Amino acid sequence: MCGIVGAVSRRNIVPVLVQGLQRLEYRGYDSCGLAIHGASAASVAGNASKGLTRARSTARVAELLSQVEAEHIVSGTGIAHTRWATHGVPAVHNAHPHFSHGPNAGSEPLARVALVHNGIIENHDELRAHLQAKGYVFASQTDTEVIAHLVDSIYDGDLFAAVLAATQQLTGAYAIAVMHKDEPLRVVGARSGSPLILGVGKDGSDAANPNPEGEHFLASDAMALAGVTDQIIYLEEGDLVDLQLGKYWITDRTGKPVQRTVRTVQAHSGAAELGPYRHYMQKEIFEQPRAIADTLAGIESIAPEMFESVNLPPPGQGAHATFKAIDSVLILACGTSYYSGCTAKYWLEDIAGIPTQVEVASEYRYRTSVPNPNQLIVTISQSGETADTLAALRHAQSLGMTHTLTICNVATSAMVRECKLAYVTRAGVEIGVASTKAFTTQLAGLFLLTLALAQARGRLSPAQEVAHLKDMRHLPVALQAVLALEPLIIGWAEQFVAKENALFLGRGLHYPIALEGALKLKEISYIHAEAYPAGELKHGPLALVTSAMPVVTVAPNDALLEKLKSNMQEVRARGGVLYVLADADTRIESGEGLNVIRMPEHYGALSPILHVVPLQLLAYHTACARGTDVDKPRNLAKSVTVE
C-alpha cells in the first residue's frame, strides 16, 4: 500500500507534503516520514543547512506535523511517505524515507540519497548481498533500503541516469521518489506495478498566468494534491519522471522520452468534515442512500451504452457489440469487491441467463486456466488501483481475452483506463478502511450490468425493464428506512462486545452478504467471524456452535426461507443464540435464544443491498463498544497496491 508525496518548488513545500500524507493515510499508517533538501531550504528560510534532513514517526501523520514544526523543517524540495508495513516491523528505523550514506560510511555521515517507495522488491535479498559486498551498511529490515543504496552505488553526477539504471535491476513492484544531496532542486520518480501521478504546476512561461514557483509534484493519488494543482498526469507502467523547477521530463523504462496526457482532475480532499458522526465509517454508512442515488442518476432506460460513459472503445467494439459477442462472464476482484461479484453471479445467471464465474483476483493468474476469447472480463475495485486485480486483468488480456469491463469508483484510475468498458460508481471519497458505500454502489452498478446483458440476450422485456428501474429508484428511500433500525442494531452490538467468535449464515443470493457481514466484523472489531451457506451447518460448522458463539442469520422471504428456518432450528437445538435479520413477512418471532430485527420491506432481487446495511452497523457499533480504531483498523490499509 503506502502513500508517496514529492515536490520541487521555490516556496516552503513541507506543509503541502504533510497535508498530502494526511490525505493518503488511508493507504497505510504504520509509520510516516519526510525528507527535505536543506540547500533548497536556503531560498525559503535563508539560513538552512546543506544536505538532506528527515523526520520520521511511528505515530500518525498529525504527530509528524508536530515534529516538523518543532524542528522548524522547511524546504522547497522534499519527499514524504506513509507506510503500510511489509518487510520489517513498524518501527522508526524501518520508516521511510530511507537514506544511503554511501559505502563504508562513518557513524554520522551526511546522507547522499533519500528515497520513498510503495511496492515490494522481490529480488531484494540478492541486491542486498551485492551491496553489502561493496561496503553498504543496512539500517533497516526493509526491501526499500536496497533501492536507496543501489541508486547511490550507480550515481555519477546525474540522479535521473542513476534511477533509470537502478530500476532496470529491480524485480517486483515499485513507485519511488528519490533525491540526491548534490541536486537540491530535483526529484526523480519511477513506477512499475504501483501507482504514481505527476502534478503539473505552471512553469512560468504562460504570461497570462505567471507562477514564479514553477513547482511540480509527485503523489500516489490525485487526492493528495487537492487544492494544490488540478493538472494531473497518470504515469504509465515503466515510466520515469524528472522533476525540476518549472519543467519536467517523462521517459519510458528504457529512457526514451514519451508524452503523457495532462488531465484536469477535480480531486476531493480526504479530510471531509465528519459533521454529526463519530467516525468516517459511520458517516459513509449513512451516505449510502445519497451514493446509490448518485450512482443511478440520469438512468432513464437500460442500454449497453451506459458502460461507455468513460472510455470510447474503437468502432465496432462498443458495449452493444461486446455484449452480443460474449458467451460468459468472469468476475475478478478481491475482498469486499469479491463479495459484490459473488452476489452478481446470482443475478447474472438468473436474470441474464449467462454463465458466470467469480475468482479471487490474487489467485486467478497463478493457476492454469482455460482462456475464452468470448468471455467478458469484469473487474471490480473501489480504488481502481488494486494490485492483484490489475495483475489479473492484465493476465486475462495476455491470454487473448479482450472483452473487458470494470465497475469502479474512481474514473481516473488505472482500472478504468485499462478496461474497454466501464461503469463508474459515484460513491464519493471513502475514507474508512472497511468499505461500505463502495460495496452497495458496486452492487447497483452490477445490477445495471445484469439488466444490460439480459436485454442484449433478449431476456428483458419492456415491462420487466420498467419494474426493475422502479425498484432501483426506490432504493435510496428503502435504505433510509433500514438505517432507522440503528438503535436496534446497537442493542445487538452490546451483546457482541465480549464475544470472540461469531458465525454468519445465509442462503442463495444472501450467502455473499453473510460473507461480507463476517468480513466487516473481523476488520474493525477483531472478533473472529466466519460465514457459511446455512445448508452447510451440519457438514462441520455446527460443531462450533455454543451459547458463547452468536449466529447471525440473513433471512429474506425468498424461496429458501423454509430451508433456512430448519437450519436455524439446528442452531437453537444446540444451545446457540440466533440474531436474525428477517423480512417483515417471514413470520419469524423473537423468543428464547432468538433475536429478530425485521427489515422494513421485502425487496426481491435487490434485497442484498438492503440486508448488508444492518451488518455494517453491527460491525461498526460492536467495534465502537470494544474501543478499536474503527476508521484505521490494525494491520490494514484502504488501497491494496502490493501483492
Side-chain angles (χ1 to χ4, degrees):
M1 281 68 104
C2 304
I4 290 172
V5 192
V8 176
S9 177
R10 285 194 177 93
R11 62 172 166 144
N12 179 24
I13 211 67
V14 172
V16 173
L17 297 177
V18 174
Q19 184 183 62
L21 289 188
Q22 289 174 323
R23 295 171 179 173
L24 293 178
E25 204 167 22
Y26 71 93
R27 302 178 75 93
Y29 32 85
D30 289 325
S31 63
C32 54
L34 60 81
I36 57 97
H37 204 300
S40 72
S43 62
V44 176
N47 58 357
S49 61
K50 302 283 185 180
L52 302 172
T53 301
R54 68 182 169 186
R56 300 185 291 178
S57 173
T58 55
R60 298 291 167 79
V61 175
E63 174 63 27
L64 179 68
L65 176 60
S66 300
Q67 185 179 340
V68 165
E69 291 173 344
E71 297 177 12
H72 305 290
I73 295 175
V74 296
S75 180
T77 305
I79 56 178
H81 186 272
T82 182
R83 181 176 185 241
W84 186 79
T86 53
H87 294 72
V89 298
V92 172
H93 67 275
N94 287 326
H96 300 218
H98 286 287
F99 279 177
S100 178
H101 301 93
N104 305 308
S107 59
E108 295 293 335
L110 287 173
R112 303 195 321 190
V113 172
L115 181 144
V116 293
H117 167 225
N118 171 32
I120 292 178
I121 304 303
E122 295 173 0
N123 62 333
H124 68 96
D125 283 333
E126 301 94 308
L127 291 171
R128 185 187 302 266
H130 171 71
L131 290 161
Q132 285 173 329
K134 287 188 170 185
Y136 286 91
V137 176
F138 284 76
S140 76
Q141 302 156 319
T142 68
D143 55 334
T144 299
E145 192 180 1
V146 167
I147 316 174
H149 291 317
L150 182 61
V151 171
D152 181 82
S153 72
I154 298 169
Y155 185 79
D156 190 24
D158 185 340
L159 180 59
F160 184 85
V163 173
L164 174 62
T167 57
Q168 293 172 353
Q169 298 184 44
L170 301 177
T171 302
Y174 56 82
I176 57 174
V178 195
M179 298 190 304
H180 196 279
K181 73 175 182 64
D182 294 338
E183 302 184 57
L185 295 170
R186 192 179 200 186
V187 173
V188 175
R191 65 149 299 188
S192 179
S194 294
L196 192 65
I197 65 157
L198 166 62
V200 180
K202 296 182 179 68
D203 61 12
S205 63
D206 184 351
N209 298 285
N211 184 349
E213 281 79 28
E215 57 192 20
H216 299 302
F217 309 88
L218 290 175
S220 298
D221 188 318
M223 189 167 68
L225 305 179
V228 178
T229 180
D230 62 358
Q231 299 300 291
I232 303 296
I233 293 175
Y234 291 90
L235 299 175
E236 297 185 9
E237 191 73 0
D239 280 358
L240 288 89
V241 59
D242 188 348
L243 268 63
Q244 299 185 36
L245 276 178
K247 51 196 172 187
Y248 63 86
W249 297 266
I250 302 173
T251 77
D252 64 16
R253 64 174 75 249
T254 68
K256 179 183 177 182
V258 293
Q259 296 293 320
R260 302 296 186 219
T261 303
V262 181
R263 304 169 186 260
T264 299
V265 177
Q266 300 299 328
H268 298 286
S269 167
E273 294 296 324
L274 273 171
Y277 301 102
R278 292 175 63 187
H279 300 93
Y280 284 108
M281 182 180 178
Q282 185 188 29
K283 179 175 183 284
E284 287 153 10
I285 290 171
F286 278 82
E287 285 177 339
Q288 288 177 115
R290 189 275 309 158
I292 290 286
D294 289 351
T295 296
L296 301 176
I299 295 176
E300 300 297 329
S301 61
I302 299 300
E305 287 70 25
M306 293 187 297
F307 298 89
E308 298 174 5
S309 58
V310 176
N311 297 333
L312 291 176
Q317 299 183 45
H320 187 271
T322 298
F323 290 178
K324 287 289 189 181
I326 63 168
D327 60 14
S328 58
V329 174
L330 172 61
I331 298 174
L332 302 171
C334 299
T336 286
S337 297
Y338 172 75
Y339 296 145
S340 69
C342 290
T343 306
K345 174 182 170 71
Y346 287 90
W347 289 334
L348 287 161
E349 295 197 335
D350 179 33
I351 299 172
I354 189 165
T356 302
Q357 297 171 262
V358 189
E359 296 237 16
V360 176
S362 57
E363 294 292 320
Y364 168 68
R365 73 186 182 109
Y366 293 113
R367 71 175 184 85
T368 301
S369 58
V370 182
N372 176 4
N374 296 322
Q375 193 164 50
L376 178 65
I377 304 298
V378 177
T379 62
I380 310 171
S381 173
Q382 187 283 134
S383 67
E385 303 289 350
T386 307
D388 290 318
T389 309
L390 278 169
L393 168 66
R394 291 162 184 163
H395 176 66
Q397 291 170 325
S398 73
L399 298 176
M401 300 162 75
T402 60
H403 301 309
T404 57
L405 182 151
T406 188
I407 306 292
C408 183
N409 191 41
V410 182
T412 54
S413 65
M415 202 79 71
V416 172
R417 298 196 304 273
E418 295 185 25
C419 284
K420 187 165 65 176
L421 304 172
Y423 193 86
V424 178
T425 60
R426 298 184 179 92
V429 174
E430 191 177 64
I431 298 170
V433 166
S435 182
T436 52
K437 62 179 181 175
F439 178 75
T440 48
T441 54
Q442 285 171 355
L443 290 178
L446 288 162
F447 195 76
L448 288 174
L449 175 62
T450 299
L451 297 182
L453 285 170
Q455 186 186 73
R457 296 170 65 84
R459 291 176 60 97
L460 186 71
S461 69
Q464 289 171 323
E465 177 182 346
V466 169
H468 284 307
L469 286 174
K470 181 182 178 182
D471 288 345
M472 294 196 79
R473 292 191 189 103
H474 183 62
L475 275 173
V477 174
L479 283 166
Q480 288 287 9
V482 175
L483 289 167
L485 299 173
E486 186 180 30
L488 299 175
I489 300 295
I490 292 172
W492 280 13
E494 291 169 350
Q495 299 177 53
F496 274 65
V497 170
K499 307 298 184 183
E500 294 302 324
N501 301 281
L503 186 63
F504 287 68
L505 301 178
R507 298 207 70 153
L509 185 61
H510 292 79
Y511 169 50
I513 301 306
L515 286 165
E516 173 64 8
L519 177 62
K520 286 290 156 288
L521 193 67
K522 279 184 281 200
E523 284 181 305
I524 61 170
S525 76
Y526 315 145
I527 294 172
H528 171 251
E530 293 186 68
Y532 274 88
E536 285 292 287
L537 261 178
K538 62 183 74 67
H539 296 283
L542 197 57
L544 297 172
V545 172
T546 69
S547 59
M549 186 179 194
V551 180
V552 181
T553 307
V554 183
N557 190 6
D558 59 16
L560 290 169
L561 178 62
E562 294 306 316
K563 297 289 186 184
L564 184 62
K565 287 180 178 179
S566 297
N567 302 140
M568 290 163 55
Q569 290 301 323
E570 294 167 358
V571 171
R572 294 186 73 185
R574 275 86 181 162
V577 179
L578 284 157
Y579 296 81
V580 183
L581 292 170
D583 281 348
D585 49 358
T586 53
R587 298 185 300 279
I588 301 174
E589 304 292 337
S590 293
E592 184 69 28
L594 179 59
N595 305 277
V596 179
I597 291 178
R598 297 196 181 279
M599 300 289 285
E601 57 186 302
H602 174 60
Y603 221 68
L606 291 168
S607 175
I609 297 175
L610 302 187
H611 272 275
V612 76
V613 174
L615 301 181
Q616 295 169 346
L617 287 169
L618 176 62
Y620 171 74
H621 285 292
T622 303
C624 288
R626 288 168 69 94
T628 64
D629 191 338
V630 172
D631 288 333
K632 295 182 173 67
R634 68 190 184 201
N635 305 334
L636 301 179
K638 184 69 180 172
S639 181
V640 184
T641 58
V642 297
E643 285 193 74

